[in-house]
Amino acid sequence: MEVGAAAFERRLPRLRGRVRRAAFLALDMEFTGLHSTVPQNNQPSLFDSPAERYRKARQSVQRFAVAQLGECWAGTENHLPRYVVHSYNFFLFPSTLGVTDVEFTLSASSIQFLSHYGFDYRKFLEDGIPYMNEVQEKILSQHLLAGGSKVSSALDRDVLKKAIDEVTCWIAAAEEGESMILQDLSGYQMFEVQLVLRKALQNVWTQPLGDKKVMVKKVSPQHRQLLENSRYDYCQKELILLSARGFTNLFQTLVKAKKPLVGHNMLMDLMHLHDKFYKPLPESYEEFKRNIHSLFPVLIDTKTVTKSIWKKCPFRHVTNLLEVYEVLCSSNLNPKDSTCPVIALASDCSRYAEKKSPHEAGYDAFLCGSVLLKSAHLLLCRSTDDAVEADPSFSQYLTVLAEYLNKVNFIRGGVSSINFSGEDVPCKHPPALVVHVRGWPGLNERQIYEEFKAFCRFDIRQLSKNQFILLSNKFKHVRLVLGGYKHHPHLRVSVYGHWRHSPRVSCLLQVSGIVALWSLLAFVLGGAPCCSL
């Protein structure tokens, strides 16, 4: 089900109830960009430690916005032996109800990619649900507390001017008690118009009517004072903040519920959750890990889970979430297993049962939740020689998933996963290779990459003027290159050895050699016998 700003506040109480009743929550996001090209060398690399990758990703997260957020809430209902799935697709747009205007970047490749899969940019721009983090909310709250009314963005100034002109012309001839209707105002503009009119005109009162309308009524100063003290005033600070927070209200419900949070390759999702709805990302990688673990004590990355399953089971090789889902749904997987969980889409979210919608956040969240249940059931079946009892509980699934909890997949780096509840464990990579260049002056990293890409994909870093380090995550690629470059006229490839190839070690040995030589000379010259006449 798609939800935009126009319907979000009305649906919020029901959404909160479903979060509280869910067994777990699956999440997916679409962004206005993924990896920032500023500064240079910001792309993920096998050379990255988790802290280095976090630093790179943090710069990207700060530049891009969340365009769409999908959530899938699954749980058993009425004690039936099946999981009922409620999958929602939320269009988001940074809150414009504030004293500072949010800036974000659009990546051309990301826009093209999402457009190819049918992303509706009009809904993103015109009906995106607002959101803000705690720092932005504090600034707005202080501004409202100080009596500020200048909360409009440049985008809304024409709308405000038109509304003020209409009211100014009308009020001159209006009688006390008469009213007029302002139309075609968005949720944020409705607040902005009311704040500006109330501050400028002491003899008017305003009230939102819904359906993008605001009533303006001419009143006496005494009546105005009574209305201002009423608890039904829709321009009270708390109600303005509720509207400005938008989707952040639901995020806070997710945090309080402490349900297992499920994603697929979810590191960037977690970073955007922290930055957009909680607090700006800290500089410290370890502080980020602590904060996320405090917000969401149980994380499950289905990429981490399925990578392990694929190593143990003879499934065909697949590369994306939809293919993983299709393999796990295959009738060849467990043809005689009648205990496999039944997953049923709720009646108001049935579109995904009829149509595949890859890279739509709500659909990918549904796939993610389904992959979790099917993977957990497969692990449960393989953990025992006995038949699995009918209708296993979700707590049984969590037990067999214990080794994967809080371990988020780390794409092409120094560890296989980030452990949000402990220390990161380095993974075993193939040995690094060193390329020594002879008779080919001026060679750079890009040219080395072009030379070797026909064999496989390597990450490359220049070691010295004539030496480059190559890293791969596949042993067969290392063997291919070692065998293929035995007799190359200009490139000599060998396994990297720290003591042989490290520039620091070479420098240290050279300095040590010079010091040793001078010491020897000093000893020889200083210890020579003096000649006497």
Side-chain angles (χ1 to χ4, degrees):
M1 175 185 288
E2 287 188 351
V3 182
F8 179 73
E9 284 190 31
R10 184 177 74 253
R11 295 183 183 275
L12 184 57
R14 179 178 289 186
L15 295 172
R16 283 172 162 163
R18 285 179 174 163
V19 168
R20 296 185 187 106
R21 292 191 297 273
F24 66 88
L25 313 168
L27 178 86
D28 185 73
M29 293 186 194
E30 302 298 338
F31 315 115
T32 60
L34 195 57
H35 299 298
S36 175
T37 56
V38 180
Q40 290 184 340
N41 301 321
N42 206 41
Q43 292 292 318
S45 164
L46 285 169
F47 291 97
D48 292 344
S49 67
E52 289 170 333
R53 178 69 57 81
Y54 171 75
R55 177 184 56 77
K56 289 180 178 181
R58 178 174 177 264
Q59 293 171 333
S60 297
V61 168
Q62 291 170 333
R63 292 176 64 86
F64 297 119
V66 179
Q68 195 179 63
L69 189 148
E71 288 191 355
C72 166
W73 307 318
T76 53
E77 294 185 1
N78 302 322
H79 306 290
L80 294 174
R82 63 175 187 168
Y83 284 87
V84 178
V85 171
H86 296 271
S87 190
Y88 290 90
N89 205 36
F90 300 98
F91 285 93
L92 303 183
F93 193 84
S95 181
T96 57
L97 189 62
V99 291
T100 56
D101 203 5
V102 176
E103 296 180 357
F104 62 87
T105 302
L106 298 174
S107 161
S109 59
S110 293
I111 299 301
Q112 189 178 53
F113 176 82
L114 291 177
S115 296
H116 175 74
Y117 287 100
F119 184 83
D120 192 334
Y121 281 95
R122 183 175 179 178
K123 290 181 180 178
F124 162 61
L125 294 169
E126 295 183 3
D127 197 30
I129 304 165
Y131 59 86
M132 58 173 51
N133 61 35
E134 290 181 4
V135 173
Q136 293 164 327
E137 181 180 345
K138 184 177 180 181
I139 293 171
L140 177 58
S141 178
Q142 290 172 342
H143 184 72
L144 293 172
L145 197 63
S149 59
K150 188 181 177 182
V151 292
S152 61
S153 68
L155 188 66
D156 297 328
R157 284 173 190 161
D158 289 344
V159 175
L160 282 173
K161 184 178 184 302
K162 181 174 178 287
I164 292 167
D165 288 346
E166 285 183 33
V167 173
T168 304
C169 292
W170 165 80
I171 201 169
E175 297 290 334
E176 193 172 294
E178 291 183 353
S179 62
M180 69 168 291
I181 306 296
L182 296 173
Q183 306 203 40
D184 298 325
L185 300 170
S186 72
Y188 332 116
Q189 292 163 356
M190 289 171 71
F191 281 114
E192 293 174 314
V193 164
Q194 292 182 82
L195 290 169
V196 170
L197 287 175
R198 289 186 187 187
K199 187 170 184 179
L201 303 170
Q202 298 302 309
N203 59 341
V204 302
W205 186 248
T206 61
Q207 183 175 341
L209 299 179
D211 196 26
K212 299 186 176 182
K213 297 177 182 178
V214 168
M215 182 194 73
V216 182
K217 187 174 184 180
K218 189 171 183 178
V219 297
S220 67
Q222 294 81 7
H223 191 197
R224 160 90 178 240
Q225 191 172 8
L226 286 173
L227 292 169
E228 284 177 343
N229 294 324
S230 168
R231 63 191 180 96
Y232 299 107
D233 180 9
Y234 287 93
C235 275
Q236 289 178 351
K237 172 190 167 186
E238 291 76 14
L239 292 173
I240 295 176
L241 287 174
L242 179 70
S243 180
R245 274 197 301 266
F247 190 83
T248 305
N249 293 298
L250 188 57
F251 168 80
Q252 291 168 350
T253 301
L254 301 180
V255 171
K256 289 177 183 175
K258 297 293 185 246
K259 304 287 184 176
L261 186 67
V262 184
H264 190 81
N265 269 334
M266 64 191 300
L267 176 59
M268 294 298 285
D269 295 331
L270 292 172
M271 292 182 71
H272 275 281
L273 281 178
H274 191 299
D275 190 69
K276 304 302 188 291
F277 310 114
Y278 178 51
K279 293 178 181 178
L281 285 168
E283 291 187 11
S284 165
Y285 164 68
E286 292 297 335
E287 184 181 349
F288 162 70
K289 284 177 59 176
R290 289 194 297 271
N291 290 349
I292 289 294
H293 189 56
S294 174
L295 294 170
F296 304 107
V298 181
L299 299 172
I300 308 173
D301 190 332
T302 52
K303 181 67 174 181
T304 302
V305 177
T306 54
K307 269 201 318 185
S308 175
I309 291 176
W310 254 243
K311 291 177 182 177
K312 301 172 183 176
C313 304
F315 298 146
R316 65 182 176 88
H317 178 70
V318 293
T319 58
N320 61 51
L321 180 59
L322 178 56
E323 291 175 335
V324 171
Y325 171 75
E326 290 172 341
V327 168
L328 290 173
C329 287
S330 168
S331 59
N332 298 323
L333 188 61
N334 278 309
K336 298 180 180 178
D337 184 9
S338 60
T339 65
C340 192
V342 176
I343 302 169
L345 278 158
S347 58
D348 58 351
C349 307
S350 59
R351 179 166 67 94
Y352 295 145
E354 303 159 2
K355 180 185 176 184
K356 296 176 183 178
S357 303
H359 303 293
E360 184 173 291
Y363 182 71
D364 284 354
F366 160 67
L367 294 181
C368 190
S370 302
V371 165
L372 171 74
L373 288 171
K374 291 180 179 296
S375 299
H377 189 78
L378 183 60
L379 289 170
L380 182 63
C381 292
R382 291 175 177 267
S383 67
T384 176
D385 294 328
D386 301 325
V388 174
E389 64 183 58
D391 311 326
S393 67
F394 189 70
S395 61
Q396 287 177 276
Y397 289 153
L398 281 179
T399 300
V400 296
L401 289 167
E403 65 178 290
Y404 309 108
L405 299 184
N406 297 317
K407 293 176 181 176
V408 171
N409 187 54
F410 191 72
I411 303 172
R412 292 182 64 82
V415 298
S416 60
S417 61
I418 291 176
N419 186 356
F420 279 86
S421 56
E423 294 293 323
D424 299 328
V425 179
C427 62
K428 294 180 179 179
H429 275 312
L433 302 180
V434 61
V435 179
H436 184 79
V437 182
R438 295 176 295 184
W440 195 346
L443 207 61
N444 57 34
E445 289 181 7
R446 186 68 199 175
Q447 291 169 310
I448 288 286
Y449 173 80
E450 293 295 330
E451 172 70 25
F452 285 95
K453 75 175 184 180
F455 281 85
C456 51
R457 182 182 172 186
F458 278 92
D459 286 349
I460 298 162
R461 184 170 290 178
Q462 189 157 8
L463 186 64
S464 63
K465 183 180 178 181
N466 296 316
Q467 288 184 320
F468 298 83
I469 294 182
L470 274 61
L471 274 184
S472 174
N473 55 1
K474 296 187 182 297
F475 283 90
K476 66 178 182 180
H477 292 168
V478 170
R479 290 193 294 268
L480 266 174
V481 169
L482 284 173
Y485 278 77
K486 279 184 177 179
H487 307 293
H488 195 280
H490 301 295
L491 303 176
R492 187 177 77 242
V493 182
S494 59
V495 175
Y496 176 81
H498 182 70
W499 293 103
R500 282 180 58 198
H501 299 113
S502 171
R504 292 183 180 179
V505 172
S506 298
C507 181
L508 181 63
L509 291 175
Q510 289 175 13
V511 171
S512 300
I514 292 171
V515 170
L517 180 61
W518 278 103
S519 299
L520 181 62
L521 287 172
F523 174 77
V524 170
L525 296 175
C530 297
C531 296
S532 57
L533 295 173

